[in-house]
Amino acid sequence: MVESFKFSRVPQIIFGPGKLKELPSVIRKYGSSVLIITGARSFESTARGKGLFRELESKQFAIHRARIQNEPSPADIDKITGNYLKKNIDVVVAIGGGSVMDTGKAVSAMILSGEGVKDYLEGVGTKVHSGIKLPFIAVPTTSGTGSETTNNAVISEIGEKGFKKSLRHDNFIPDYAIVDPELTLSCDPEITAASGMDAFSQLLESYLSDKASIFTDSLAVEGLRCISMCLLKAYKDGNYIEARTGMAYAAMVSGITLSNAGLGVVHGFASALGGYTEIPHGIVCGTLMGSANRKNVDVLCKEHKIKNALIKYGIAGKMFIDNKGKSDEYYARAFADHIEELITILKLPRLGDFGIKTEHADKIVDSTSLKNNPVSLSRADLLEIILNRI
Ligand code: NAD
């Protein structure tokens, strides 16, 4: 039975090892004046980066540069848009992890007006963006966030009144996503683990979401299959290009499924924690995935009426667990165990390692939303999930 659904557009996608070489010709479609945003461990110091900049210079592009060292704040975005407001930029390119891609996405959205981005953030500002922006090309160098295919940029401010919120509009879906898994070969095991668990949680939460459709499910299932086959391989051997390629695909697809189906409680926590203290987003998602999914499965097994989500846990579980011929409940529970084992193997830190203490749990739960979680969780359930990982 195919139920009604809505699906927003995807970027033009160029995917595969070595595809970075197509970037100059894609930039040329939009003009010759390009603002390129990169990250802290600078891409331009790598052989691929040097080669790209040499080629752009030899082809007479006017290149403007900006760098972002961390997950972006409103001040970071406003500084870059202020610097390039009147520079007649034709196209913005972001080459980096989610922080860099979100910076590029937000800059492409704000650079035409030069207004402060904070006023346009969901749940923070009151202004509504028109969606008019500069063309934007996203080039991921981590396999995690899927920002190369999403309609939002996550912007945070840390502190007492901190927040981690999105600038969102369907027009902000990048015009192009150039996904070259070779760019992720330099990710160390810690970054591979954290970003890989981000993609995993995005795929799983959008698959289980109460907003999921047959369309997003078909994408999420193949994305989850790539995670089951490639995450540990990429973690153990960073040079294994087939595993890096599988993870790059999983991450890219997770952006499409999250944009169209939404996310669950793990991302509700990530939003609350992201404004609270400086913890890498992938670590928050990864470290909480075990206790959050165990709680979801426990509640589902008790409330037999919510069968669909239990069946989906079973389908996902079968991809990760060898044992044949068991019940949905068996696979769902074994899957929750497997996620916890994975967190140990990947050595994901606990929230306590970033200064979160048990006395902070109440305040974090106050601002945690269930989003599109497949089951309703009580305050006590949420406290248990977070206390388990402090
Ligand atoms: P990141 O971009 O913050 O990068 C993490 C670290 O990896 C940085 O130190 C960076 O320099 C380094 N790095 C990046 N590429 C590398 C490479 N190829 N080799 C070696 N080091 C490399 O981390 P991330 O997990 O990619 O992105 C996290 C951000 O993305 C958060 O701000 C999060 O909120 C956001 N996010 C956005 C969306 C979205 O839809 N827009 C979805 C999920 C997360």
Side-chain angles (χ1 to χ4, degrees):
M1 172 76 183
V2 177
E3 290 183 6
S4 310
F5 65 88
K6 277 193 206 160
F7 193 84
S8 50
R9 66 178 187 83
V10 292
Q12 298 211 45
I13 294 170
I14 300 178
F15 181 94
K19 293 296 182 188
L20 180 69
K21 65 178 183 303
E22 300 199 20
L23 180 57
S25 60
V26 173
I27 296 174
R28 185 65 83 199
K29 289 176 196 276
Y30 298 104
S32 57
S33 177
V34 53
L35 170 58
I36 302 185
I37 301 174
T38 54
R41 287 184 216 180
S42 227
F43 163 76
E44 71 257 33
S45 61
T46 64
R48 282 185 191 84
K50 284 182 187 153
L52 174 70
F53 282 101
R54 256 198 317 272
E55 188 181 346
L56 291 173
E57 277 157 19
S58 73
K59 291 186 168 159
Q60 318 294 315
F61 283 96
I63 305 167
H64 307 271
R65 302 295 318 276
R67 289 187 186 83
I68 179 87
Q69 311 261 345
N70 38 271
E71 300 192 359
S73 68
D76 292 325
I77 305 300
D78 294 351
K79 188 167 170 217
I80 301 175
T81 53
N83 284 345
Y84 291 101
L85 188 58
K86 300 226 157 61
K87 297 267 168 70
N88 294 322
I89 305 289
D90 295 318
V91 53
V92 177
V93 177
I95 308 173
S99 301
V100 175
M101 289 190 286
D102 282 2
T103 301
K105 202 181 283 180
V107 166
S108 75
M110 302 311 300
I111 199 170
L112 292 174
S113 71
E115 285 183 84
V117 71
K118 194 167 171 176
D119 291 339
Y120 289 91
L121 297 182
E122 287 174 347
V124 177
T126 51
K127 294 188 180 172
V128 178
H129 201 287
S130 66
I132 298 170
K133 63 161 192 80
L134 276 187
F136 174 55
I137 303 166
V139 184
T141 63
T142 57
S143 292
T145 70
S147 174
E148 63 272 24
T149 52
T150 66
N151 63 0
N152 66 310
V154 184
I155 317 280
S156 36
E157 207 163 78
I158 312 286
E160 262 302 291
K161 294 193 176 146
F163 55 80
K164 185 172 184 118
K165 295 288 180 185
S166 280
L167 175 71
R168 191 187 308 273
H169 195 291
D170 272 353
N171 289 0
F172 299 162
I173 293 168
D175 298 276
Y176 266 87
I178 300 184
V179 184
D180 181 345
E182 286 180 1
L183 300 182
T184 67
L185 291 172
S186 52
C187 289
D188 62 27
E190 289 74 26
I191 293 171
T192 304
S195 50
M197 289 300 274
D198 189 13
F200 186 11
S201 66
Q202 290 179 169
L203 287 162
L204 185 58
E205 292 205 318
S206 54
Y207 180 54
L208 297 164
S209 162
D210 53 18
K211 253 176 69 190
S213 69
I214 186 170
F215 201 5
T216 55
D217 281 357
S218 57
L219 293 167
V221 164
E222 285 315 308
L224 286 167
R225 207 180 305 284
C226 286
I227 299 276
S228 76
M229 294 188 303
C230 301
L231 175 52
L232 271 179
K233 287 179 185 153
Y235 175 76
K236 287 180 180 159
D237 177 4
N239 289 319
Y240 191 171
I241 188 66
E242 286 82 4
R244 292 294 196 183
T245 304
M247 288 307 297
Y249 182 78
M252 181 189 81
V253 164
S254 78
I256 302 173
T257 58
L258 86 85
S259 281
N260 288 284
L263 293 164
V265 65
V266 168
H267 280 82
F269 275 120
S271 178
L273 277 154
Y276 204 79
T277 184
E278 229 164 290
I279 312 180
H281 176 79
I283 290 179
V284 177
C285 296
T287 205
L288 288 172
M289 257 191 102
S291 55
N293 282 290
R294 180 170 303 287
K295 183 53 73 184
N296 275 349
V297 169
D298 281 350
V299 174
L300 277 167
C301 291
K302 272 189 215 134
E303 296 176 12
H304 286 292
K305 60 184 191 302
I306 319 173
K307 273 243 177 252
N308 191 34
L310 193 59
I311 292 168
K312 282 184 155 183
Y313 262 115
I315 293 170
K318 274 181 209 158
M319 290 182 219
F320 291 79
I321 287 133
D322 279 341
N323 233 344
K324 302 256 181 302
K326 305 282 183 183
S327 67
D328 288 331
E329 183 166 338
Y330 172 89
Y331 287 114
R333 289 195 184 281
F335 186 37
D337 291 343
H338 176 82
I339 295 171
E340 290 195 326
E341 281 160 25
L342 197 56
I343 289 168
T344 307
I345 295 169
L346 296 176
K347 301 192 181 77
L348 282 173
R350 290 179 165 269
L351 298 173
D353 297 330
F354 295 87
I356 300 288
K357 297 192 167 49
T358 47
E359 56 264 35
H360 298 143
D362 263 307
K363 195 171 167 210
I364 292 162
V365 166
D366 283 344
S367 42
T368 294
S369 121
L370 283 176
K371 298 205 163 191
N372 296 99
N373 205 53
V375 288
S376 180
L377 300 175
S378 65
R379 186 179 180 82
D381 292 333
L382 295 177
L383 280 169
E384 194 183 323
I385 292 171
I386 194 149
L387 289 171
N388 262 332
R389 286 309 290 176
I390 291 179

